Amino acid sequence: MSQTPITGWHFVDDTGTFVLENPHQTGYLYFPLVNEAGMMSVVTPLLHGDAKTGQNTFAMTPVSVEDLHNSRAARNFWIYIHGVGPWSATGNSAPQIMQVFTDNTETVRLEAGFLWQRVTRANATLGLRAEMTSLVPASADTVELLQVTLTNTGAQPLTITPTAALPLYGRSADNLRDHRHVTSLLHRIRTHPHGVLVRPTLSFDERGHQPNYVTYGVLGAEGDGTPPLAFFPVVEDFIGEGGNLEWPQAIVAPEKAQPGVPAGVAIDGYEAIGALRFRDVTLAPGDSITYVLITAIMDGVENPDALVSRYGSAAAFARWFEQTCAYWETKLASLHFETADSTFDRWLKWVTVQPILRRLFGNSFLPYHDYGRGGRGWRDLWQDCLALLLMEPAEVRELLFSSYAGVRSDGSNATIIGARPGEFKADRNNIPRVWMDHGAWPLLTTQLYLDATGDLDFLLQEQVYFKDQFINRAQGLDLDWRPEDGTQLKTASGAVYRGTILEHLLIQHLTAFFNVGEHNIIRLEGADWNDGMDMARRRGESVAFTALYAGNLRTLSELALALRTPDGDKVELAVELILLLDTLSEPVDYADVAAKQTRLARYFAAVQPVVSGDKVPISLRALADDLAAKAEWLTQHLRRQEWIENKEGFGWFNGYYNEDGQRVEGDHPNGVRMTLTGQTFALLGGVATEEQAHTIVAAADRYLYAANMGGYRLNTDFGEVLLNLGRCFGYAYGHKENGAMFSHMAVMYANALYRRGLVHEGYKVLDDLYRHCRDFPVSRMYPGIPEYVNPRGRGMYPYLTGSASWYLLTLVNEVFGVKGRRGALWLEPRLVAAQFNAEGKAAIHTQFAGRQLHIVYHNPERLEYGHYTIEAVMLDSEPVTFESRGHAAVLPRATLLALSEGELHTLEVQLSKIES
């Protein structure tokens, strides 16, 4: 029989629950399960995956994406049917695996929601159905729960022997290839009345072994709490000689296998497994029986009895399932959308959860994200705050403030970020790397916060600076620095130095302005946003991010003016910073590369290894003028020097210079070379003129657009491995940072298009990405946005991508036009006609000024964007006065603050035709 045709997932309710038939016939699928306590799990349709709390504490064997089909170490639940033989409820038996493409008598259905997965497997021949529900409860425990319900769907009674078999690895991911067997000798295995516990004696590390205080366990019970009968705690006893986890001797040939052991047995020094044998049971036709399994990581306090009491019954599982669903529903309730496409609205719920998942998982611990050791990078801190501003704004101020403690006095930043807000660590590995774009992101996020709140005083709050052994943007070492000196910048007198947030921002941008290469473009250093551009540290330059810094300098100039009050026009800054404010000190010729480099070197010498601690009052007007002059010089320089027009008549901005000092983009013997990055930030930074913006779109459509990949590629095919630019050109073309449809840059491109008034072009980017992800037979992914789309159309690296934050930000601020300006609420919709429903409505539920708002746009004629304007605004059914700014309606913050908290308030916005 042939494989069942792939149809794709569909939503079954408004909460985002989706169903996928026969998910086991698609590879590489996985689903994240996580809680705030730190339990991080991943589960596939075959219940493969792993569970862990960190790099050194994996309860199950760590998996990379290829392990999902190569490894046999999956969660399993075996049923031995008397008179028939063994059957795996999860599908992980040798016969079932062999028949997956040839036998349709077994049906599989996956259902998933926030955040749980349910797989139902039914075998019509056997007359048996298994329903397996997985979740990590929204609790304070680091546990994963699995409920298995077996039902006799046949006409005859079935007598069965059930056995759960869950992997129990119990150590660091490092030990997969570092003393795998030796570390099993550390295992101290005990059988508990409800399961198997493993507590290694040591955390194995040849750089320094440490006592281990973590216990790993698999516990279980029948739905009524009845414990297992016996246990197989050792892998080799469970599988038997010549057996394996897909055909274990203890299941398929019990007469030959080692017998199960009772509770209270201790076995030392072997690979463990959580294999729990339950009592035999006879199911009459239509009868069911339920089992609950607990995978636990117990750090410090070993509490298996408490865990069984809390989770070990069907009634307890039902309570935690309900509580977990309610937790995630509340978490996501603050932001949702209503458009003409209800599938799109529900899909957005899965986009909304992605920034939360990245905060909890970091950039590691999912099968595609098989690198790093947990945690997030510097760029992630700021980009994930974008979504927090939309969903959990109350938490943002402190998170933003604490994150500025990672800025160094040379404008670079810490790269090892701790688990707590504001925790930054010295790099003990002595692997210096500076990403030249890192200084730009904090301002983008801070600007959004300031606009949403009007909290300009935030800029005047003082924060520390980070200090470690690296100086001169990691080009030198402070040989006198020692770890015991701490990681905070000090003054010459030994006191910890603090500067305003404004000062931190100025340092990040002014050092970048002077840190130029031979073409007077900001140096690429270790890389920019594109990590793969990492082989041009000496002569490489990033035109793309020079454009963004130009726009940021303009923003800083505006903020400096906004800080002026009738009572004062001064701000205190570190005296050393005057060196970079050249209109306030000895002028520098911006066109003179050597002079700029010399001035930067003087500044570095003044602030490293310590600062004086002296501050001077600076006129905010003079500061603003200086910043504006720098922004304008960069803008004109880029427009003159970096605009390309090729032989086909298309134009765009060059994005990079390579290690040989050569311009990267333009016509080339290997074909046209163009990057999307170079265009995105020329648009965002305001460098591209209106005419250039339209020309860029035409060039991107000509050279970068790939309909089969869901949108715009990151670059054209450069046709060779560029050792003078970056590792990404060693990747096959169309993959990852070498020409994939990279969601993050594509969505930022859409954002830039909207900001520049190219609304239909921006809509196309967002809509193409959504429609590609929705096309399951091509994208092969669950709802959400992937990091990138490969040449075959498959969505790669799902869940943990900064593109989700930018997609939401673009929808809220640009598409629905809900944004702040110095604390006031601006409503400036840029919805196209297709986004309004049949009644001409489109709505967003969001937060502003601490109030929950349901904003409904009424466009009864379904006018196209550009043909409507705001005619009237009703607040809770009452007309409200607003100020018209172009086609925007501006509501003072006081209007919103007068509303009651804790209630949902409705803003109805009437759109009418623009009269010519």
Side-chain angles (χ1 to χ4, degrees), residues 238-252:
F238 179 65
I239 65 174
E241 297 294 341
N244 60 59
L245 291 173
E246 290 165 359
W247 205 240
Q249 196 175 77
I251 302 298
V252 304

Side-chain angles (χ1 to χ4, degrees), residues 365 613 682 700 776 805 868:
F365 301 134
F776 181 81
S805 294
Y868 60 72

Side-chain angles (χ1 to χ4, degrees), residues 378-379 411-413 433-442 473 508-509 511-513 515-517 521-531 533 536-537 540-549 552 655-656 677 681:
W378 176 260
R379 195 182 301 119
S412 65
N413 53 268
R433 187 176 180 187
V434 171
W435 286 260
M436 63 81 63
D437 66 304
H438 277 187
W441 301 109
R473 298 183 67 84
Q508 289 179 306
H509 288 79
T511 53
F513 178 81
N515 186 29
V516 294
I521 301 297
I522 300 174
R523 294 179 56 241
L524 181 58
E525 298 178 295
D528 62 9
W529 169 90
N530 187 338
D531 284 350
M533 299 284 197
R537 298 191 182 199
E541 297 167 73
S542 174
V543 180
F545 278 90
T546 299
L548 183 58
Y549 277 107
N552 279 6
Y656 295 93
T677 310
F681 294 108

Side-chain angles (χ1 to χ4, degrees), residues 389-619:
L389 278 166
L390 302 174
M391 294 186 293
E392 300 172 287
E395 302 177 16
V396 172
R397 191 185 200 277
E398 183 55 36
L399 181 57
L400 286 176
F401 175 71
S402 61
S403 296
Y404 276 102
V407 177
R408 292 191 183 100
S409 62
D410 63 4
S412 65
N413 53 268
T415 56
I416 300 180
I417 299 166
R420 298 186 302 275
E423 181 184 11
F424 301 97
K425 301 178 180 180
D427 186 351
R428 305 287 179 86
N429 298 321
N430 201 30
I431 306 175
R433 187 176 180 187
V434 171
W435 286 260
M436 63 81 63
D437 66 304
H438 277 187
W441 301 109
L443 178 59
L444 293 182
T445 305
T446 301
Q447 173 69 13
L448 286 167
Y449 167 76
L450 297 176
D451 275 339
T453 62
D455 181 18
L456 289 173
D457 287 343
F458 176 76
L459 293 173
L460 303 178
Q461 193 170 348
E462 292 193 339
Q463 178 60 285
V464 300
Y465 289 85
F466 182 74
K467 176 74 177 80
D468 61 2
Q469 71 269 40
F470 297 116
I471 58 174
N472 300 348
R473 298 183 67 84
Q475 297 303 300
L477 288 174
D478 176 3
L479 299 178
D480 294 326
W481 181 87
R482 298 166 300 172
E484 51 266 33
D485 294 335
T487 56
Q488 294 181 342
L489 179 67
K490 294 184 175 65
T491 67
S493 65
V496 172
Y497 177 75
R498 287 176 171 82
T500 62
I501 297 300
L502 176 63
E503 184 183 278
H504 285 67
L505 288 165
L506 291 171
I507 288 174
Q508 289 179 306
H509 288 79
L510 294 173
T511 53
F513 178 81
F514 286 93
N515 186 29
V516 294
E518 60 202 79
H519 300 92
N520 219 332
I521 301 297
I522 300 174
R523 294 179 56 241
L524 181 58
E525 298 178 295
D528 62 9
W529 169 90
N530 187 338
D531 284 350
M533 299 284 197
D534 60 348
M535 298 176 71
R537 298 191 182 199
R538 189 170 58 90
R539 296 179 68 188
E541 297 167 73
S542 174
V543 180
F545 278 90
T546 299
L548 183 58
Y549 277 107
N552 279 6
L553 285 165
R554 192 174 296 111
T555 298
L556 279 171
S557 174
E558 294 166 358
L559 288 174
L561 291 177
L563 284 170
R564 299 174 73 203
T565 69
D567 299 326
D569 179 45
K570 301 286 186 182
V571 65
E572 284 199 339
L573 299 175
V575 66
E576 293 87 347
L577 197 55
I578 301 300
L579 286 166
L580 304 182
L581 296 169
D582 51 291
T583 59
L584 302 176
S585 60
E586 181 183 346
V588 173
D589 180 0
Y590 294 161
D592 188 337
V593 170
K596 290 168 81 172
Q597 293 172 339
T598 299
R599 180 61 60 91
L600 183 64
R602 285 179 58 193
Y603 170 78
F604 283 166
V607 298
Q608 297 169 150
V610 296
V611 293
S612 67
D614 296 333
K615 296 183 180 182
V616 293
I618 300 296
S619 161

